[in-house]
Structure formats: C-alpha cells, structure tokens
C-alpha cells in the first residue's frame, strides 16, 4: 500500500513539473499559446517529451536547455538577458531618459529668456537682479489655467 502511495505522489510531482514547464514553453505552431494550452500536434509531442525527460531524471534547467537548443530561444516565454537582447530590455529606459532630457531642456530654455540676453548685449552690461525680475514679469505671459485670482474674478462675475 505504501509503495502505491509513493508511486501516486511521484506521478503527481512529475505531472506538476511537466505542467509548470509546459506553461513556460511557447507552441512553435501556434506562437501565441503555451504548449500546455495548445492542441497542435507539435505541442502534444513536446508535452510527451517533457514528461519523458522528467521521468528520466533530468532537471528543469536541463529540459529548458534541450528545448532551447532544438527549437531556438523563441520557444521559451522568458528569454535570457544577454548582449543581443539588452537593447530590447533597456529601450524603455532609454526612451524615458531622452524624454526627461527634452523636458529638462525646454524648462531650462523657459528660464533663460532670450529677451534679457538681447538687452544685455545691447546695453553692454548685465542686468541687476531687480531688473531681471521686472523684465521677466513683463515678458513672460501669465500661466493659463486656474489661479486663485482667476477663480475669484469668475466667482465675483456671477
């Protein structure tokens, strides 16, 4: 009786490992499904191959490696990180960095007003901080949107 229980437990372990591996392997015929979900002939053969490999005592890593060698890296849902895939994995960070750089440059350009620089060139002397503040107040348009004064004037106008 105990021997039969051990066989049942062993078959359950084999089945659980096989299902876990099958969920992480892409069907080469379907492309969008795992071999666990696919009913294609190749998926059925791969599931049988995985179970046979598990019963022969191979580890999950060895099975993944064998599948990758036979069918290519695209058969695995989680490709490894190496130099070939680094650009793909890091491209979102590069795009975000470029966007932050453009945003920062535009903000910097807003603060260094061209008109003040032109006045400095015409006068030949730099403006004092008070003059810069006055010029910025005159040259920079007020922010669009809701400000406390615009809310007050709207409320009074009703």
């Amino acid at each position: 009786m105990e021997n039969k229980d051990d066989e049942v437990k062993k078959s359950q372990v084999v089945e659980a490992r096989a299902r876990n591996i099958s969920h992480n392997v892409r069907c080469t015929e379907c492309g969008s499904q795992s071999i666990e979900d696919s009913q294609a002939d190749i998926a059925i053969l791969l599931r049988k191959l995985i179970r046979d490999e598990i019963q022969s005592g191979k580890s999950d890593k060895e099975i993944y490696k064998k599948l990758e060698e036979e069918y290519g890296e695209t058969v695995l849902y989680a490709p490894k990180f190496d130099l070939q895939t680094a650009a793909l994995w890091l491209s979102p960070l590069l795009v975000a960095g470029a966007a932050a750089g453009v945003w920062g440059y535009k903000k910097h350009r807003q603060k260094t007003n061209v008109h003040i620089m032109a006045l400095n060139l015409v006068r030949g002397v730099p403006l004092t901080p008070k003059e810069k503040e006055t010029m910025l107040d005159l040259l920079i348009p007020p922010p669009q949107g809701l400000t406390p004064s615009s809310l007050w004037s709207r409320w009074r106008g009703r």
Side-chain angles (χ1 to χ4, degrees):
M1 184 73 173
E2 208 172 286
N3 191 19
K4 195 170 191 173
D5 287 341
D6 287 342
E7 284 182 32
V8 169
K9 285 182 183 179
K10 186 176 179 182
S11 69
Q12 287 175 343
V13 168
V14 167
E15 186 64 26
R17 280 184 61 201
R19 284 183 180 269
N20 184 37
I21 293 172
S22 296
H23 279 293
N24 294 317
V25 176
R26 186 185 324 263
C27 177
T28 56
E29 192 173 310
C30 306
S32 63
Q33 288 182 315
S34 69
I35 62 170
E36 184 66 30
D37 300 329
S38 175
Q39 293 303 316
D41 293 336
I42 187 73
I44 294 168
L45 289 173
L46 284 173
R47 287 195 301 260
K48 184 178 179 341
L49 172 81
I50 290 170
R51 282 176 177 76
D52 292 343
E53 295 290 324
I54 291 172
Q55 289 173 346
S56 70
K58 294 205 174 165
S59 70
D60 290 1
K61 280 188 175 184
E62 292 172 328
I63 296 170
Y64 284 129
K65 189 172 184 178
K66 180 177 181 172
L67 290 170
E68 184 180 352
E69 288 172 357
E70 290 182 15
Y71 298 98
E73 189 177 334
T74 57
V75 78
L76 301 179
Y77 272 120
K80 50 188 172 173
F81 184 80
D82 59 6
L83 285 177
Q84 292 177 341
T85 58
L88 179 65
W89 288 98
L90 297 176
S91 61
L93 295 175
L94 294 173
V95 169
V102 168
W103 179 79
Y105 178 73
K106 286 189 174 199
K107 282 293 194 187
H108 174 72
R109 293 273 303 176
Q110 279 180 343
K111 288 186 179 181
T112 56
N113 201 321
V114 176
H115 301 291
I116 292 177
M117 288 189 239
L119 280 174
N120 284 344
L121 289 174
V122 169
R123 287 178 50 190
V125 290
L127 297 175
T128 65
K130 179 77 174 150
E131 290 173 325
K132 283 183 184 180
E133 185 180 337
T134 305
M135 289 301 296
L136 285 173
D137 288 341
L138 293 172
L139 294 173
I140 296 178
Q144 299 296 324
L146 299 177
T147 60
S149 60
S150 67
L151 289 174
W152 178 251
S153 61
R154 281 186 190 172
W155 184 75
R156 278 185 45 206
R158 286 187 178 185

